[in-house]
Amino acid sequence: QKEVEQNSGPLSVPEGAIASLNCTYSDRGSQSFFWYRQYSGKSPELIMFIYSNGDKEDGRFTAQLNKASQYVSLLIRDSQPSDSATYLCAVNMGSGGSNYKLTFGKGTLLTVNP
Amino acid sequence: KAGVTQTPRYLIKTRGQQVTLSCSPISGHRSVSWYQQTPGQGLQFLFEYFSETQRNKGNFPGRFSGRQFSNSRSEMNVSTLELGDSALYLCASSPDRGQSDTQYFGPGTRLTVL
């Protein structure tokens, strides 16, 4: 069974701090990795995707990928109360190319305290 | 550009009935995926359709089926409903342009089985 593991949390950080969210995956052949944010009662919205080892930055968000360790992380700098949500790590375990078979972790609940 | 739309947004059914859910992808998107989200299991992949063909399938029983039409709209059907089928059913679309592809989720259909 191909799996994606996340710390369920909850993770609580003060406003302005850095929130660090982690994810590991079991399928060594996975090529594409995604972070989604889901507010309570809403559908997931894409934050970032990453395909290559290293860091990828987009505003306050930085995704980090280490394929050798099968590890993906998301850093949120200057955390705001509006960042409070469940963060879902997803790995495309499709049969190749753009074929989609996203496997999600169960999510980490982040709370940013004012 | 309009987002992914799903109908209906809410459904209440009884055990043994069947249900059909509909998804209209973002204009120009050719890949449509379906997911089931429950508090216990999280987001689980059901199946993905591209050009009216099922391209990937998750680990769900045959009671769950789907199809895609020539205009990329998709439906999923669940027959002989069980209490455990109560969930949020999410549809996601992507343009299918290779590794840089990303999926965008609709608002979901909340199914309650009594």
Side-chain angles (χ1 to χ4, degrees), chain A residues 1 31-32 34 36 38 41-46 49 51 67 88 93-95 97-106, chain B residues 31 33 35 37 40-41 43 45 48 55-59 88 90 94 96-107:
Chain A
Q1 181 82 1
Q31 296 293 321
S32 46
F34 305 84
Y36 285 84
Q38 187 172 26
K42 301 293 186 182
S43 62
E45 58 178 321
L46 181 71
F49 58 87
Y51 307 118
K67 290 185 179 180
L88 298 163
M93 297 183 181
S95 55
S98 59
N99 292 357
Y100 263 104
K101 188 174 182 178
L102 282 185
T103 299
F104 282 81
K106 293 195 175 177
Chain B
S31 168
S33 297
Y35 296 86
Q37 187 173 33
Q41 297 300 317
L43 258 166
F45 175 82
E48 184 235 354
R55 194 164 59 173
N56 278 299
K57 189 177 187 303
N59 298 320
L88 179 67
L90 292 159
S94 70
D96 193 66
R97 283 196 295 259
Q99 194 182 39
S100 62
D101 236 8
T102 53
Q103 286 194 327
Y104 299 91
F105 282 85

Side-chain angles (χ1 to χ4, degrees), chain B residues 54-100:
Chain B
Q54 188 180 88
R55 194 164 59 173
N56 278 299
K57 189 177 187 303
N59 298 320
F60 278 81
R63 299 186 298 107
F64 292 82
S65 62
R67 60 178 175 167
Q68 186 181 36
F69 302 95
S70 58
N71 61 358
S72 294
R73 190 177 70 85
S74 178
E75 289 181 347
M76 69 163 282
N77 184 77
V78 188
S79 62
T80 319
L81 284 166
E82 300 177 358
L83 295 179
D85 297 333
S86 295
L88 179 67
Y89 289 89
L90 292 159
C91 165
S93 76
S94 70
D96 193 66
R97 283 196 295 259
Q99 194 182 39
S100 62

Side-chain angles (χ1 to χ4, degrees), chain A residues 11-112:
Chain A
L11 174 65
S12 183
V13 300
E15 184 174 355
I18 295 175
S20 177
L21 304 160
N22 304 315
C23 172
T24 58
Y25 59 95
S26 62
D27 182 12
R28 187 171 288 279
S30 298
Q31 296 293 321
S32 46
F33 308 86
F34 305 84
W35 283 99
Y36 285 84
R37 176 175 62 196
Q38 187 172 26
Y39 292 111
S40 181
K42 301 293 186 182
S43 62
E45 58 178 321
L46 181 71
I47 299 175
M48 292 189 70
F49 58 87
I50 186 167
Y51 307 118
S52 303
N53 277 328
D55 295 359
K56 180 181 179 183
E57 187 174 319
D58 184 1
R60 296 187 295 112
F61 299 94
T62 299
Q64 299 174 317
L65 174 61
N66 183 326
K67 290 185 179 180
S69 300
Q70 295 174 242
Y71 176 88
V72 191
S73 67
L74 180 70
L75 299 177
I76 307 175
R77 290 183 300 283
D78 188 25
S79 295
Q80 300 297 308
S82 59
D83 295 327
S84 297
T86 296
Y87 288 80
L88 298 163
C89 172
V91 179
N92 186 7
M93 297 183 181
S95 55
S98 59
N99 292 357
Y100 263 104
K101 188 174 182 178
L102 282 185
T103 299
F104 282 81
K106 293 195 175 177
T108 299
L109 177 60
L110 171 67
T111 301
V112 181

